[in-house]
Amino acid sequence: MHPSTGEIRVAVLGLGYVGSVTAACLAHLGHRVTGVDRDAYKVASIEAGRAPFYEPGLADLIQEGRAHGRLSATTLLEPAIEQAEIALICVGTPSERNGNLGLDQLRRVCSQIVTAWKGDSRRLIVAVRSTVFPGTCEELTAECLGDADRFPVVSNPEFLREGNAVRDFLEPSLLVVGGAAWSAVEKVAELYQPLGVEACLVSLRTAEMIKYACNAFHALKVSFANEMGALSGALGIPGAEVMDTLCRDTKLNISPAYLKPGFAFGGSCLPKDLRALVYRAGRLDLKVPLLETVLPSNDEHLRRAIRKVMDLPAARLGVFGLAFKENTDDLRESPVVALLEHLIGKGRQVRVYDPHIRLEEIYGSNQRFVLAAIPHIAKLLESRLEDMLEWAGHLIVTQPPAAAAAASIRRSGLPVLDLTGLQ
């Protein structure tokens, strides 16, 4: 750890798993922390130097914080925030029956902060560490806190796993702080400076969404590994060996590859192999719901793109890219072909340019696929990008253009709908 840049006074509101670990670890980093909870048992445990529940390493940090006078706990909110610079909210946000988050505890704490702060003109940073859906922090400002200058709200999501929470805090894999008031964002990020980890400073809603993206991805990985293991087992193949080997590819598999919003996938491999996996699983009477939904998910993403294109006001639409991805002339199951089919069917005027497509050079299954979908594709293809740009009223980009093509597009001054970054 890096040496602390200075003590910050923090009130941690809520002493469950996240709050207790956060309070003890912040005290360990050199800050002066007061934990608040309505549960007298949790408060008494911390005051006595004990952990209110079992978590490896937590009891030692609580004892250390108490011994050095940097950690205390109380059932009363007002004295806890009286000298605080940051109120770090760690209350629960349980699921309601319909799946929505229950925000009653969060709203109650925010209202109590406002009541306790009456008569005090100082700024109190309200940092929400609880998991909340994007837009929640803005709602709290509008509904409960009111004065955004007096109570700047920051999102500081936690990434702590029960059973490993202390280590996850002190050796974070990700540190996120988001908000509109940049001075407040930087002040919350300063709490973690002794860890020597660069914080990702983002907008308020982005910080809230990152937490959901991480948890959804973790759940996705568990489900994927379980389905591949089940399918492997049904075929007499050791699933652990399959997944262990998959994880050795850190260029494409365990990497940032493919993890960017963009256009729908296509090509000769992914759709075909997903269909085969799902079909064979069915033959084995094995349900693989996650794998079964990948192609429908891709189809829905393509429909979202089509709706965006159909909303364009221009009569003449230029499309950059025809192959299923850049740097290839493979048209098999290209989502662009499906897009063109829809546009033509709706009577839109379309011209297409792809730097690697020459219709006279396409043959075999590649040729059969595109001609079956769009028999008159030759009439739509432009051999020069400049000709399409001069004709079009709006440009649709379906694959990343090379530098020279990108420069030509910029010079054209055409409005562009870039489907490669579709959100």
Side-chain angles (χ1 to χ4, degrees):
M1 290 192 302
H2 294 199
S4 176
T5 55
E7 175 186 279
I8 299 175
R9 292 181 175 269
V10 185
V12 174
L13 312 183
L15 293 173
Y17 273 93
V18 173
S20 291
V21 171
T22 297
C25 288
L26 287 177
H28 176 67
L29 297 185
H31 304 300
R32 189 166 295 276
V33 183
T34 303
V36 183
D37 201 289
R38 294 189 300 173
D39 188 331
Y41 171 77
K42 294 176 184 176
V43 169
S45 295
I46 290 176
E47 285 287 287
R50 301 191 309 267
F53 48 82
Y54 179 72
E55 180 67 34
L58 179 59
D60 291 340
L61 289 187
I62 290 175
Q63 290 172 12
E64 175 195 280
R66 294 293 295 146
H68 289 86
R70 292 196 296 264
L71 177 63
S72 60
T74 177
T75 57
L76 303 175
L77 177 68
E78 189 168 352
I81 65 171
E82 192 174 23
Q83 299 298 322
E85 301 167 74
I86 299 170
L88 202 55
I89 301 179
C90 301
V91 298
T93 51
S95 285
E96 296 178 344
R97 284 189 176 183
N98 62 2
N100 195 19
L101 287 181
L103 300 177
D104 291 347
Q105 296 182 58
L106 193 57
R107 290 194 178 100
R108 185 184 65 249
V109 167
C110 288
S111 297
Q112 289 173 345
I113 288 173
V114 173
T115 301
W117 210 248
K118 279 182 179 177
D120 197 325
S121 60
R122 291 187 304 118
R123 181 182 79 161
L124 177 66
I125 299 170
V126 178
V128 178
R129 199 150 167 79
S130 306
T131 299
V132 293
F133 200 72
T136 301
C137 286
E138 292 171 359
E139 292 173 13
L140 289 173
T141 300
E143 296 176 10
C144 304
L145 297 171
D147 190 340
D149 292 328
R150 195 176 176 205
F151 301 110
V153 177
V154 170
S155 175
N156 176 215
E158 52 84 16
F159 302 97
L160 307 177
R161 297 167 295 169
E162 290 186 24
N164 206 61
V166 170
R167 176 173 290 183
D168 285 344
F169 189 106
L170 298 177
E171 301 173 11
S173 57
L174 186 62
L175 181 55
V176 176
V177 186
W182 207 244
S183 62
V185 170
E186 291 179 324
K187 187 67 174 180
V188 173
E190 190 181 327
L191 286 172
Y192 306 97
Q193 196 166 350
L195 298 175
V197 176
E198 183 178 359
C200 300
L201 307 184
V202 297
S203 70
L204 195 57
R205 289 193 174 204
T206 299
E208 292 168 314
M209 191 62 184
I210 287 169
K211 170 65 174 180
Y212 277 94
C214 289
N215 278 3
F217 189 46
H218 298 163
L220 183 70
K221 289 198 292 184
V222 171
S223 296
F224 173 75
N226 286 341
E227 286 194 2
M228 292 307 300
L231 185 53
S232 297
L235 295 169
I237 299 165
E241 185 177 12
V242 171
M243 294 308 297
D244 285 346
T245 307
L246 178 148
C247 291
R248 293 184 66 176
D249 179 355
T250 56
K251 183 176 181 181
L252 298 180
N253 292 344
I254 311 302
S255 76
Y258 308 120
L259 287 175
K260 293 181 181 178
F263 198 26
F265 65 75
S268 61
C269 297
L270 300 188
K272 172 180 69 72
D273 293 345
L274 276 164
R275 288 190 200 101
L277 275 176
V278 171
Y279 172 78
R280 291 290 181 148
R283 291 286 298 272
L284 294 165
D285 290 328
L286 182 66
K287 291 292 292 180
V288 284
L290 179 63
L291 295 174
E292 290 168 9
T293 57
V294 176
L295 282 173
S297 173
N298 192 56
D299 291 341
E300 181 57 36
H301 194 59
L302 176 57
R303 285 191 287 271
R304 281 193 289 269
I306 290 172
R307 289 193 292 269
K308 283 181 175 287
V309 174
M310 291 301 297
D311 287 341
L312 297 177
R316 299 191 304 274
L317 302 175
V319 177
F320 181 91
L322 180 57
F324 82 95
K325 67 175 184 177
E326 69 273 20
N327 297 322
T328 182
D329 63 358
D330 194 346
L331 299 172
R332 288 172 292 179
E333 303 214 38
S334 169
V336 187
V337 173
L339 170 65
L340 292 175
E341 279 187 283
H342 189 90
L343 294 177
I344 294 166
K346 294 295 184 180
R348 306 301 287 269
Q349 298 179 57
V350 182
R351 293 286 184 273
V352 185
Y353 173 79
D354 190 304
H356 302 294
I357 299 293
R358 298 293 177 267
L359 204 57
E360 64 276 9
E361 298 175 3
I362 295 174
Y363 60 91
S365 58
N366 207 7
Q367 183 188 68
R368 288 192 296 273
F369 175 80
V370 71
L371 290 180
I374 311 173
H376 58 291
I377 185 66
K379 296 180 180 179
L380 307 181
L381 274 172
E382 294 280 10
S383 59
R384 296 178 65 249
L385 174 60
E386 288 71 17
D387 292 340
M388 185 185 70
L389 295 176
E390 186 176 343
W391 173 86
H394 206 114
L395 186 65
I396 302 157
V397 175
T398 67
Q399 58 181 242
S408 295
I409 292 169
R410 285 194 298 271
R411 286 195 300 270
S412 74
L414 281 176
V416 175
L417 172 60
D418 186 358
L419 297 182
T420 66
L422 185 62
Q423 297 184 29

